[in-house]
Amino acid sequence: MSEILTVSGLDCFYGEVQVLHGLELALRRGEVLCLTGRNGAGKTTTLKAIMGLVRPRAGSIRMGGVELADLPAHEVPKQGIGYVPQGRRLFAEMTVRENLEIGLNTRKKGADTLESVLDLFPLLRERLKQQSGTLSGGEQQMLAMARALCLEPEILLLDEPTEGLMPSMIQKIRETVLALRRRGVSTILVEQRAEAVLALADRVTFVENGHCRETVGIAELKADPSALRRYVGIG
Amino acid sequence: MGFGPHLLLAVLEGLVTSAVLALTALGLSLVFGVMRVVNVAHGELFMLGAVLAWAVATAVGGSPALGFVAALVVAPLIVGAVAALAERLVLRRVDYDPEATIVATIGLLYILQQLALTFYGADARPVPPPFNIRLALPWFGYSAYKLSIVATSAVLLLLSWLVLTHTRAGLIMRATQYDRETAQAFGIPVGRVYAAVFAIGAMLAAIAAVLIVPISQAHYLMGQDPLLLSFAVVIIGGLGSLRGTVVAALLIGVSDGVISMFFSPTLAKLIATLAVAMVLVFRPQGLFGKAAR
């Protein structure tokens, strides 16, 4: 499979504290790549750096022929990257429809896109006029994903989408990720739950102290889950 | 005149004050709501609007109506351009840091004030009203121009509400207000939104100034009262809340008119200040503001 996104030699800092050290990453077209590691390993920062929300001091983030690290943050999603941040980060005082409109506006998508997204999340169709901050946690997560899908992204970045959700919602989110893979969307999924990693990922990259330590295929990991114990402390 | 006519007159005068105050405070509230910038120079942008109104009306000459209309169009545009320039040259360079922008806008306040003193002078100068019509009420005559200020302000406030709640520009502004980072992650150019909001906030103050200058006078120190009263309005109403701004402007403006009429203007200001203190103690987010998350 060809690579749709490559990250190489990425150095990122918060103030003077270096959080990513020459990070290397490659996302193949149509795969689900799971980024996992302990808290503070640099997983979320990696996604933010791809989105241009944390500016790298060194390194490259390439999507096709475009160097994303050179673009202002608001131009990155226009290249076809949808982002579902940790904690959802909905515009809580806006309605469900307004949140989706923000997503649609990003790449000037219209009613057809909205319809196909609502087909994926039919529950949201009934809540279009509801203030998004009043939705349940699971519904908010669905909305966060729906908002990102309104871009019709080629790449989707999901930061701990099942965090704090009840099992039925976790199952729904997983089904959605798999449905998107079938549609050819390439996904980077930040996840710490072993069962989610094993159920969803095609490959897994282990992040530790701002370094990508190891990338393994899912079959290899299922055969030998010792890396999960080593880098995440589970499995 | 008896109590009734006095009360009516006080309420009418209070409504005129409220109308101008609501527009000025809306600008301040919008800038804080979206950018989290406390614009201490807002009163000076109001003053600049008034001074420019005099300059434009004088330059145009001819009929007062023509000069006034020209001032109403040109002065806010110039003030908006000055604000956009200040945003680009000053606020953006300090990355909209809340503390740094307070210091920066204090500097801007003195720059604008001293420029006005240098080029406009220390004299207070009137701009003729566009029309001189007195409406015959049962007990007294009242300036139709003053009532037109109330009507114009109401239309502009309604327009602002419509833009904020029913247009794509409003959606973008609100998204930026709620979460700057996520807004960027959805393609919103936050820097450009900030420049536009800072300019619009200044233009609202300038429009308010142009409206009031025919019944007041343009003076280089006239920015202080609108700034203080605008802060009172946005604190009572809730920073970033349009509804709160309107309600608080009505409360302060009308109570100022009534208390000034029956007691003294000093007592009116004292009560407004007390109201601000009470809100800060018992409901810091303001009457219609949302508590910080």
Side-chain angles (χ1 to χ4, degrees):
Chain A
M1 274 195 287
S2 63
E3 287 164 354
I4 188 169
L5 182 84
T6 52
V7 176
S8 54
L10 202 65
D11 287 346
C12 285
F13 292 73
Y14 287 127
E16 288 310 308
V17 179
Q18 187 165 4
V19 286
L20 297 184
H21 302 261
L23 188 122
E24 307 277 339
L25 196 68
L27 175 67
R28 295 174 184 165
R29 205 169 286 277
E31 76 167 349
V32 176
L33 174 69
C34 189
L35 277 191
T36 192
R38 290 189 167 84
N39 287 337
K43 308 181 295 293
T44 293
T45 305
T46 304
L47 297 194
K48 285 190 171 188
I50 294 170
M51 291 306 299
L53 301 173
V54 173
R55 307 307 297 187
R57 287 198 194 170
S60 163
I61 306 166
R62 293 192 76 79
M63 181 184 175
V66 181
E67 177 55 60
L68 299 182
D70 291 343
L71 296 178
H74 70 270
E75 289 294 339
V76 173
K78 294 176 185 172
Q79 309 304 312
I81 306 181
Y83 181 43
V84 181
Q86 190 174 23
R88 299 147 202 149
R89 303 280 290 266
L90 295 174
F91 301 111
E93 291 175 36
M94 289 186 183
T95 63
V96 170
R97 178 183 283 280
E98 287 174 328
N99 270 275
L100 295 174
E101 279 175 10
I102 293 282
L104 292 169
N105 285 344
T106 310
R107 297 180 81 194
K108 312 286 181 241
K109 301 295 179 186
D112 291 347
T113 305
L114 180 61
E115 282 305 310
S116 74
V117 169
L118 291 175
D119 286 344
L120 208 54
F121 301 101
L123 195 124
L124 294 178
R125 197 186 292 279
E126 302 157 20
R127 307 279 165 91
L128 286 173
K129 290 180 180 170
Q130 189 171 334
Q131 199 176 0
S132 62
T134 64
L135 297 173
S136 72
E139 290 164 350
Q140 288 191 17
Q141 189 61 54
M142 282 186 199
L143 177 56
M145 289 183 72
R147 182 179 62 179
L149 293 176
C150 282
L151 278 70
E152 290 188 13
E154 285 123 65
I155 296 174
L156 187 62
L157 308 182
L158 294 173
D159 197 347
E160 306 225 21
T162 59
E163 189 182 28
L165 298 185
M166 52 198 278
S168 61
M169 281 297 174
I170 291 175
Q171 186 55 33
K172 172 67 184 166
I173 301 293
R174 286 182 187 177
E175 285 167 9
T176 307
V177 173
L178 294 174
L180 293 171
R181 181 172 60 180
R182 285 194 292 275
R183 290 185 189 185
V185 176
S186 314
T187 303
I188 298 180
L189 170 69
V190 167
E191 184 58 75
Q192 289 199 79
R193 297 161 186 264
E195 71 277 12
V197 172
L198 295 169
L200 294 174
D202 294 305
R203 293 187 305 141
V204 180
T205 292
F206 292 96
V207 184
E208 186 182 56
N209 297 328
H211 300 269
C212 281
R213 295 296 188 196
E214 202 177 326
T215 298
V216 295
I218 196 66
E220 193 183 337
L221 187 66
K222 281 177 178 170
D224 175 15
S226 61
L228 278 171
R229 277 192 295 276
R230 198 158 54 249
Y231 297 114
V232 196
I234 52 174
Chain B
M1 283 199 298
F3 175 77
H6 269 110
L7 184 63
L8 178 62
L9 182 61
V11 169
L12 287 173
E13 289 295 307
L15 281 176
V16 175
T17 306
S18 300
V20 174
L21 194 51
L23 279 182
T24 314
L26 177 61
L28 190 70
S29 181
L30 200 60
V31 166
F32 180 82
V34 176
M35 303 170 68
R36 293 290 181 260
V37 166
V38 177
N39 180 16
V40 183
H42 195 66
E44 302 319 304
L45 293 165
F46 176 94
M47 174 275 292
L48 192 60
V51 166
L52 285 169
W54 175 84
V56 172
T58 305
V60 169
S63 79
L66 187 65
F68 180 82
V69 170
L72 195 55
V73 173
V74 175
L77 285 176
I78 296 175
V79 172
V82 167
L85 193 68
E87 191 276 342
R88 176 62 65 95
L89 295 179
V90 183
L91 303 183
R92 192 171 296 192
R93 284 169 190 259
V94 296
D95 198 26
Y96 311 101
D97 174 76
E99 286 85 14
T101 51
I102 289 177
V103 176
T105 54
I106 289 173
L108 188 60
L109 179 160
Y110 285 113
I111 290 169
L112 292 174
Q113 203 175 78
Q114 292 309 307
L115 282 173
L117 177 62
T118 304
F119 293 104
Y120 174 81
D123 296 335
R125 294 164 178 157
V127 171
F131 51 89
N132 274 309
I133 299 171
R134 289 192 78 75
L135 292 178
L137 298 178
W139 303 288
F140 52 82
Y142 196 73
S143 160
Y145 175 71
K146 285 186 176 180
L147 293 179
S148 78
I149 293 177
V150 178
T152 307
S153 174
V155 168
L156 288 171
L157 290 167
L158 185 66
L159 203 63
S160 303
W161 176 78
L162 285 172
V163 167
L164 282 171
T165 55
H166 287 78
T167 67
R168 184 175 289 190
L171 191 69
I172 286 170
M173 275 195 253
R174 284 186 290 138
T176 308
Q177 172 178 355
Y178 298 143
D179 190 335
R180 166 183 173 169
E181 188 176 273
T182 306
Q184 282 182 305
F186 284 89
I188 295 175
V190 166
R192 264 180 266 162
V193 174
Y194 281 2
V197 164
F198 201 67
I200 290 168
M203 287 169 80
L204 283 168
I207 291 170
V210 178
L211 290 175
I212 199 71
V213 92
I215 54 175
S216 174
Q217 292 195 33
H219 184 252
Y220 85 105
L221 289 177
M222 71 186 294
Q224 291 169 359
D225 274 359
L227 178 69
L228 293 175
L229 287 173
S230 293
F231 272 124
V233 165
V234 293
I235 288 169
I236 292 173
L239 276 162
S241 164
L242 194 149
R243 187 171 49 151
T245 300
V246 173
V247 170
L250 280 170
L251 276 175
I252 288 189
V254 174
S255 66
D256 185 86
V258 171
I259 296 167
S260 297
M261 175 74 73
F262 291 104
F263 300 96
S264 80
T266 309
L267 183 65
K269 299 286 181 296
L270 199 70
I271 288 175
T273 312
L274 190 66
V276 170
M278 299 293 275
V279 167
L280 284 174
V281 170
F282 294 107
R283 196 175 162 81
Q285 73 270 32
L287 298 180
F288 294 91
K290 297 276 192 302
R293 280 161 292 181

